[in-house]
Amino acid sequence: MDGILGRVVAIVLGLLALVGIAYAGYNGFQNHKASVVATNITQLITNARAGFSQGNNGYTNFTTANIAAMITGGMFPTDMVRGNALVDPWGNAVTLASANNGSRGVITFGGGNAQTAKQCVSAALGLKDYVTLTVGTTTFDQSNLPDQVTAGAACSATAAFALTFQ
């Protein structure tokens, strides 16, 4: 009887360990998405600055309508490209716009799909070097950077991001 009980306990403990490993893996994957958002947007800003800021038109042509031509030119991280469109790691459409008479670019992303509030906070904290970052209805700038509390208050599972850079 002790042998059977010992085997049952061993099986239960083994299953609990597997559940714990699966949960840790899931959390790691979820945090990874926010990290990929920050990395991709940072790379996109760097490429846009190199490709537009020195031209006579500034960011005037940095628009969603020109995404196909920018894909051909290698402007975007490859994991953002889906055909002739851009998506974030959550599967949301990424849109581009010009602002301030072409002196600034605007990248809009997020806003739902598989995004979680925790990922929203991680992405908001991971984004740097912008003029403004709007998360939901809250706008941050270089004199008012997000922290854990302010990003947490701004974020939700459906909060969209609008990042303006120069």
Side-chain angles (χ1 to χ4, degrees):
M1 184 70 161
D2 287 337
I4 293 173
L5 186 59
R7 286 186 200 139
V8 169
V9 169
I11 290 171
V12 168
L13 290 175
L15 290 174
L16 286 174
L18 288 175
V19 167
I21 290 169
Y23 182 71
Y26 173 78
N27 279 336
F29 181 70
Q30 296 304 313
N31 290 336
H32 175 72
K33 283 185 178 183
S35 173
V36 170
V37 167
T39 301
N40 284 351
I41 297 300
T42 300
Q43 183 179 351
L44 173 53
I45 291 169
T46 300
N47 292 348
R49 285 179 176 149
F52 289 102
S53 66
Q54 300 303 316
N56 292 335
N57 296 325
Y59 295 105
T60 302
N61 291 322
F62 186 75
T63 64
T64 301
N66 294 324
I67 285 177
M70 288 186 274
I71 289 171
T72 301
M75 175 71 61
F76 310 110
T78 55
D79 58 343
M80 289 182 75
V81 177
R82 298 291 184 278
N84 281 329
L86 298 179
V87 296
D88 63 25
W90 301 303
N92 302 303
V94 175
T95 60
L96 310 175
S98 176
N100 213 34
N101 294 322
S103 67
R104 295 179 178 170
V106 181
I107 306 167
T108 305
F109 57 97
N113 237 348
Q115 175 181 317
T116 67
K118 181 178 176 183
Q119 291 170 342
C120 174
V121 170
S122 293
L125 295 176
L127 293 165
K128 307 285 186 236
D129 196 21
Y130 49 77
V131 176
T132 61
L133 173 65
T134 302
V135 181
T137 59
T138 304
T139 300
F140 301 101
D141 60 30
Q142 293 304 305
S143 65
N144 175 36
L145 294 170
D147 60 26
Q148 190 71 39
V149 172
T150 56
C155 280
S156 70
T158 58
F161 291 78
L163 184 143
T164 303
F165 65 96
Q166 195 162 0

